[in-house]
Amino acid sequence: MRRLRRSFFARPSTAVAPEMLNKLLVSGESIGRIVEVEAYMPNDPASHAFRGPTRRNATMFGKAGLLYIYFTYGMHHCANVVTGSIGDGQAVLLRAVTPVAGIDELRARRPGRADRSLADGPGKLCQAFGLDLRHDGVDLCAAASSVFIGDDGVPPPAAPRVGRRVGIKVGVELAWRWRVP
DNA sequence: GCCTGGATTGTCT
DNA sequence: GACAATCCAGGCA
């Protein structure tokens, strides 16, 4: 398995997101295959970055390949990968993965859950992989990082299911979402 | 299985 | 002081 390089992420999130399907999320011994992602672009009203940089979303304006973790709803963490160029404020949200390896570790972090429910949501994914605010800003492309996105040669699905959200203004797309059929 | 309502706290106005 | 890129338990079918 090879670690994805920064050049992979240094593109618009709408280009990166569909190609991240079937890639691997690796955190220590735990590995999961990415099956659902969502793209957040600059000037996207649904994005944390829409109102400009704040302390919370600072990572989103950093360089591509950084891990952006935020806390929401008082109890959940969500994981994103920063894309594009420095200052863009764009990212790809990891929404769901299926367990591939280190399943015992995943089960230990989410006791009482069925295997298929270990990481099939943004909050669950972070809990299962032990990701929290300490990982905000981690460089996925740094060789020393134990958290990264891997490629084991499985290509993205030829025909992913695409979901679109239409925004406040008619005809404006607010977010893009891709999932493995 | 699908739908509904409640939980709970960091962050920004 | 309000809200948020959500999760889960519980009720009903």
Side-chain angles (χ1 to χ4, degrees):
Chain A
M1 172 170 58
R2 116 193 135 77
R3 179 184 299 239
L4 289 183
R5 302 189 312 154
R6 199 175 313 283
S7 57
F8 177 88
F9 299 108
R11 296 176 293 148
S13 57
T14 47
V16 176
E19 293 183 24
M20 285 185 63
L21 294 177
N22 281 341
K23 294 293 185 291
L24 300 172
L25 170 64
V26 184
S27 173
E29 301 299 311
S30 306
I31 303 179
R33 191 171 302 283
I34 299 169
V35 294
E36 185 172 347
V37 297
E38 198 162 305
Y40 287 86
M41 293 290 277
N43 299 318
D44 181 349
S47 168
H48 284 169
F50 183 59
R51 296 177 199 282
T54 63
R55 199 166 101 205
R56 179 200 198 190
N57 64 23
T59 301
M60 231 177 144
F61 290 87
K63 62 183 174 184
L66 295 185
L67 186 61
Y68 168 47
I69 305 254
Y70 64 86
F71 185 81
T72 190
Y73 289 98
M75 58 182 92
H76 297 296
H77 297 279
C78 293
N80 306 248
V81 181
V82 178
T83 60
S85 306
I86 289 182
D88 281 359
Q90 54 171 302
V92 173
L93 169 68
L94 305 179
R95 290 191 59 88
V97 306
T98 55
V100 171
I103 298 186
D104 289 342
E105 206 173 285
L106 301 178
R107 290 192 186 117
R109 293 202 196 87
R110 290 183 47 72
R113 309 296 161 195
D115 282 5
R116 63 174 300 159
S117 298
L118 286 176
D120 63 339
K124 305 181 203 180
L125 180 157
C126 286
Q127 192 181 354
F129 283 79
L131 299 174
D132 57 34
L133 291 178
R134 291 172 310 181
H135 298 85
D136 182 39
V138 163
D139 188 352
L140 300 173
C141 301
S145 172
S146 64
V147 182
F148 61 95
I149 306 296
D151 182 359
D152 64 349
V154 177
R161 182 183 177 285
V162 180
R164 267 187 178 173
R165 288 215 316 239
V166 177
I168 350 174
K169 294 182 178 179
V170 180
V172 179
E173 294 166 337
L174 290 188
W176 296 261
R177 181 172 154 186
W178 290 265
R179 43 190 312 195
V180 175

